[in-house]
């Protein structure tokens, strides 16, 4: 995996001097069609069948996340929502208006973590 070095502040210590950190280099996009083609080469399903399943998954995932459910995909990992909100002083009423948005959190499963453990790095 290629990376570049960038200089930035530590968010926990904004007044501290900047430090250098690794940042991944985006090598492009890999689409649902690309995934379907790769998976079809390893299974008895057609590219169209796989693309259909993946597209339906992408369409249905928000439905279950909005219900407050975590969506676990075996050893691949788990999707869940996290809320972004403004804080309210104690004694003041917190309302839904204080919620500013949602963020999708993905926690990789053990198999995915293991398969990424041997990643090697090179500076771009």
């Amino acid at each position: 995996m290629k990376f570049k070095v960038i200089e930035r502040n530590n968010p926990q210590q904004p007044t501290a001097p900047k430090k250098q950190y690794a940042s991944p280099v985006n090598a492009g996009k890999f689409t649902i069609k690309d995934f379907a083609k790769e998976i079809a080469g390893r299974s008895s399903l057609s590219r169209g069948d796989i693309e259909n399943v993946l597209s339906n998954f992408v369409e249905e995932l928000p439905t279950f996340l909005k219900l407050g459910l975590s969506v676990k995909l075996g050893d691949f990992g788990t999707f869940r929502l996290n809320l972004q909100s403004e804080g309210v002083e104690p004694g003041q009423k917190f309302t839904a208006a204080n919620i500013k948005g949602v963020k999708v959190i993905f926690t990789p499963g053990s198999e995915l973590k293991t398969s990424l453990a041997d990643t090697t790095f090179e500076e771009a």
Side-chain angles (χ1 to χ4, degrees):
M1 177 176 198
K2 294 188 183 225
F3 70 93
K4 60 185 175 185
V5 178
I6 61 167
E7 219 176 72
R8 66 176 173 223
N9 289 327
N10 180 340
Q12 281 84 29
Q13 299 173 336
T15 58
K18 290 183 177 184
K19 291 186 179 179
Q20 293 184 338
Y21 297 91
S23 179
V25 172
N26 184 334
K29 294 191 189 304
F30 199 75
T31 67
I32 285 180
K33 286 184 181 199
D34 297 327
F35 257 114
K37 184 177 178 183
E38 290 294 319
I39 294 170
R42 300 171 57 167
S43 78
S44 62
L45 298 173
S46 73
R47 184 194 56 78
D49 291 337
I50 294 165
E51 189 176 336
N52 189 4
V53 168
L54 292 173
S55 294
N56 284 325
F57 169 75
V58 169
E59 283 183 28
E60 290 299 319
L61 180 62
T63 302
F64 301 109
L65 294 175
K66 288 176 183 179
L67 291 172
L69 298 168
S70 293
V71 178
K72 182 172 172 59
L73 297 176
D75 290 333
F76 176 64
T78 304
F79 292 90
R80 65 183 172 87
L81 287 184
N82 192 17
L83 299 177
Q84 298 170 321
S85 63
E86 292 179 342
V88 184
E89 295 293 327
Q92 291 184 341
K93 183 169 173 72
F94 185 96
T95 68
N98 296 101
I99 299 172
K100 298 301 172 197
V102 294
K103 183 177 179 182
V104 177
I105 305 291
F106 174 73
T107 305
S110 58
E111 190 172 315
L112 181 57
K113 284 182 188 176
T114 300
S115 65
L116 294 173
D118 63 351
T119 303
T120 58
F121 305 98
E122 70 178 73
E123 192 166 355

